[in-house]
Amino acid sequence: MRKMPPKKEFLKDQAYNNIKKLLMKGELSPGEFLSEGYLSEELGMSRTPIRSAIQRLEHEGIVKIHPKQGIYICDISIQQVNEIYEARAVLETFAIRKLSQTIERHQIQELQDILDHQFKEIQNQDIYLSLKYDTEFHLKIMELIENKEMYEMFKSIEAKLSFYGKKVLTKKVERLLQTYEEHLLILTELEKGNAESAVQYMEEHLQKGRKILLDI
């Protein structure tokens, strides 16, 4: 099979990803006001891709644009946390049930490779990269069921939570290893074709994440 060329990343996408990276690393925090000028200087980019990235983040509910005050980084409410995790539970348990019937050896290996990277970064105590592979594990599960609409829904939901990860883990550092171990349980049951056990472990995993975010 002919290998596809890598997808070109536009400047607006680079700006979006770089701003999210700053959020996930804790260099930008909920409750702060920013300006396009500050982000332009910080990222070494013109204001045009920055503006496009900010509009995308506003659409996702991560920031709000105030004409006189600047760009406000939103905090997350208890209601939002509960609604997001309820939506995740619906999407991810459906994905687990479907995937348990169709998953192939190479797909198991793809998921295992992500977990190997996650464990390596946990050992390195790199919170940002640990979170990156944490997210990739969940995204890969949604990708493998080959339902584009559900995958896009999940990406939108995950985007609202991803930059709160560092806030959680600076207070619950032990959660890094727990998350990896929970992922491993899910994957083990998937590999065995034990749909309901895998679903149960996913539900428990999401419930723990929700509780920790509400407790901080």
Side-chain angles (χ1 to χ4, degrees):
M1 185 180 289
R2 191 176 167 188
K3 193 173 182 180
M4 295 293 289
K7 187 178 178 182
K8 182 179 178 182
E9 187 177 39
F10 295 101
L11 283 175
K12 63 182 181 180
D13 297 322
Q14 289 179 24
Y16 171 82
N17 290 327
N18 287 337
I19 293 169
K20 282 196 70 178
K21 188 179 291 187
L22 292 174
L23 289 163
M24 289 176 69
K25 285 186 171 183
E27 294 175 30
L28 302 176
S29 303
E32 284 186 23
F33 277 96
L34 306 169
S35 67
E36 285 182 9
Y38 170 81
L39 290 171
S40 178
E41 184 176 344
E42 185 74 15
L43 299 177
M45 304 178 77
S46 71
R47 294 194 183 201
T48 301
I50 297 290
R51 190 173 297 122
S52 177
I54 290 300
Q55 288 170 352
R56 182 175 170 186
L57 290 165
E58 183 178 40
H59 178 71
E60 292 174 348
I62 293 173
V63 304
K64 285 185 180 178
I65 301 171
H66 295 273
K68 293 184 179 179
Q69 294 174 291
I71 303 154
Y72 178 73
I73 303 175
C74 301
D75 211 334
I76 192 165
S77 68
I78 291 173
Q79 181 178 346
Q80 284 176 307
V81 171
N82 286 326
E83 288 176 357
I84 286 169
Y85 272 95
E86 283 176 2
R88 282 191 65 180
V90 171
L91 290 171
E92 295 192 70
T93 55
F94 173 87
I96 289 289
R97 285 194 174 96
K98 183 174 181 182
L99 195 55
S100 67
Q101 300 171 11
T102 62
I103 197 161
E104 298 177 9
R105 168 52 52 187
H106 71 93
Q107 295 171 327
I108 291 287
Q109 190 58 54
E110 286 177 41
L111 288 164
Q112 184 61 60
D113 289 344
I114 293 170
L115 293 191
D116 290 345
H117 285 300
Q118 183 185 8
F119 185 67
K120 178 183 175 182
E121 298 308 333
I122 290 169
Q123 290 181 310
N124 292 338
Q125 298 185 328
D126 189 319
I127 291 176
Y128 168 69
L129 286 177
S130 298
L131 283 170
K132 177 178 178 289
Y133 289 114
D134 181 329
T135 301
E136 279 192 19
F137 179 76
H138 291 272
L139 283 170
K140 178 56 71 172
I141 286 173
M142 294 305 303
E143 179 188 318
L144 290 175
I145 66 169
E146 298 183 343
N147 184 314
K148 187 176 179 182
E149 292 299 322
M150 293 184 77
Y151 180 71
E152 292 301 322
M153 285 171 62
F154 182 79
K155 277 206 306 183
S156 175
I157 290 168
E158 185 64 31
K160 295 179 182 180
L161 282 177
S162 59
F163 72 94
Y164 294 98
K166 189 173 190 300
K167 187 177 178 183
V168 171
L169 293 171
T170 49
K171 297 199 175 198
K172 299 275 187 181
V173 179
E174 69 277 6
R175 183 65 189 150
L176 280 171
L177 186 57
Q178 291 171 0
T179 298
Y180 163 78
E181 290 170 344
E182 289 161 16
H183 286 169
L184 203 55
L185 284 172
I186 294 164
L187 182 56
T188 299
E189 295 308 304
L190 261 180
E191 186 174 10
K192 293 177 181 176
N194 295 338
E196 292 311 311
S197 295
V199 165
Q200 182 182 339
Y201 284 134
M202 177 63 82
E203 287 174 336
E204 290 173 357
H205 174 63
L206 294 175
Q207 181 65 14
K208 286 175 184 176
R210 184 190 71 84
K211 185 176 185 304
I212 288 172
L213 192 53
L214 289 174
D215 285 347
I216 60 173

